[in-house]
Amino acid sequence: MPAAAASAGGVERPPGAKAGTVRRNRQSLPIGLIAALAVACAPAMGATVEVKLIQTPEGMTYFDPSGVRIARGDTVRWIQMSGFHSITAYAPSNGNHELRIPESAKPWDSDILLAQYPKPGSTFERVFSVEGVYDYFCKPHEMAGMVGRIVVGQPGNGPGTKPFGYAPDKHWQQVPDVARQRFPAVSEIMAKGAVHGR
């Protein structure tokens, strides 16, 4: 019986087959190697960090933790525990607030989440793909100091690392003093990974 004609790429043509008609060589890749290749080609799934939105019976409002450090590609999931809150990036597109997120990052605004709406324990999620410092606030409680800070990877030198009020010529709405005092320091977030009790 004549031998099959060899072809490039581990493919052979049976005797008498037309050019372009091929069948795979019976020596296939080991199953373990196939599984390893599938895992290597799959998109990496980042971690998910949870932040609670809290209002105490006495009326104190805060994000817990108020500061977190995550890796690029990780998700932050905010969970509505009590009261009514928003998760809103400091950015001019959100009420002309001072820019305090990386310039190439897209701002966000969850709008108001209520304790029982859209359902108890409602969540808002965001995947962070740009490194830097992100400052955010609760629209109803910014004046009460309900703010949070996220460091994605390394802080860099973007807007969130600058002093408050760094661009007076922009005429942005300033971060209130009470809110400024509630932000955890970037260095503390870098050292601890998460900062509670603000």
Side-chain angles (χ1 to χ4, degrees), residues 98-117:
E98 179 178 301
L99 181 64
R100 299 207 56 82
I101 66 172
E103 291 175 352
S104 61
K106 185 177 177 184
W108 73 90
D109 180 11
S110 69
D111 209 359
I112 304 296
L113 300 177
L114 303 175
Q116 299 298 316
Y117 180 83

Side-chain angles (χ1 to χ4, degrees), residues 16-96:
K18 296 179 186 175
T21 305
V22 295
R23 77 175 173 197
R24 286 272 165 211
N25 189 336
R26 292 195 174 139
Q27 294 177 343
S28 60
L29 294 173
I31 292 186
L33 181 57
I34 293 170
L37 287 171
V39 169
C41 295
M45 298 297 292
T48 298
V49 175
E50 294 185 342
V51 176
K52 295 177 180 177
L53 288 68
I54 297 173
Q55 182 168 345
T56 67
E58 299 76 33
M60 185 176 179
T61 58
Y62 58 97
F63 295 104
D64 185 40
S66 59
V68 294
R69 182 181 184 196
I70 63 174
R72 190 169 58 181
D74 285 354
T75 299
V76 175
R77 176 185 297 136
W78 288 271
I79 304 172
Q80 171 68 357
M81 303 300 291
S82 53
F84 55 98
H85 309 287
S86 78
I87 304 102
T88 307
Y90 273 104
S93 61
N94 289 330
N96 198 40

